[in-house]
Amino acid sequence: MPAPTCILALAGGQVSPTNQLPLLFTATFSQPVWGLNAEDIDVTFEGNPWNDVTITAGVDGDAVYTISVNNLIATGEVIVTVPADAAQNQYAEGNIVSNPQNCVFDITRPTPTITLVSPNPTNLSPVVYTVEFSEPVFGFDANALTVTGPFPGGIATINIIPVGLGQT
């Protein structure tokens, strides 16, 4: 029988970049394997070995395992690889090395810069501002803003026109 192959991927629901821990990866072998241990999995964080790794799903005789990378405390890239011979099939044949799979852990909050575009002072409407972030953001809408000041009738209307999805 041929040696087992292993394909690594981000686990279902895991996105990159992310600021949520743990980082989850799925190791899918071409056949059931035995002997896979967290200590056997190669994980680097910004090019340095990272040892806080667990297998959170999958037991001897399974073909699919979930690998969890835990307790990261800085922004950086994680790369996971299952090395050759980390697990064996029922004939004691070691697996072939997997593909490397990366995930970016980003705990740096985006910084907004707000710039008045309209003349100051003005009695014209609308008053236009631009908001530029230090990195791409998702989900920014009018509910994320607080507007204060004297407004006719006490009401301010906010219109957001995105430059592009996921843009700065």
Side-chain angles (χ1 to χ4, degrees):
M1 178 164 239
T5 59
C6 179
I7 298 175
L8 273 175
L10 296 176
Q14 178 67 64
V15 296
S16 179
T18 185
N19 62 359
Q20 302 295 309
L21 288 174
L23 303 183
L24 299 175
F25 300 82
T26 300
T28 304
F29 291 88
S30 59
Q31 54 192 282
V33 294
W34 286 259
L36 183 66
N37 296 304
E39 301 81 31
D40 297 329
I41 299 167
D42 288 338
V43 179
T44 60
F45 177 64
E46 285 301 295
N48 299 304
W50 191 259
N51 297 319
D52 196 345
V53 178
T54 54
I55 295 176
T56 56
V59 295
D60 278 345
D62 284 348
V64 179
Y65 294 78
T66 300
I67 300 164
S68 176
V69 177
N70 311 296
N71 296 318
L72 300 168
I73 58 171
T75 294
E77 181 181 38
V78 171
I79 301 175
V80 176
T81 308
V82 176
D85 300 323
Q88 298 78 38
N89 65 11
Q90 64 183 343
Y91 305 106
E93 297 169 312
N95 67 283
I96 296 170
V97 65
S98 75
N99 60 295
Q101 178 63 57
N102 78 316
C103 186
V104 174
F105 183 63
D106 182 1
I107 59 172
T108 304
R109 293 178 181 251
T111 305
T113 301
I114 302 172
T115 306
L116 176 63
V117 176
S118 296
N120 187 17
T122 186
N123 61 356
L124 301 175
S125 182
V127 178
V128 178
Y129 293 86
T130 61
V131 180
E132 185 172 350
F133 292 92
S134 58
E135 60 183 82
V137 298
F138 298 88
F140 179 71
D141 62 19
N143 295 322
L145 298 172
T146 302
V147 180
T148 61
F151 303 107
I155 298 173
T157 302
I158 300 171
N159 294 319
I160 295 179
I161 303 168
V163 174
L165 183 61
Q167 299 295 311
T168 58

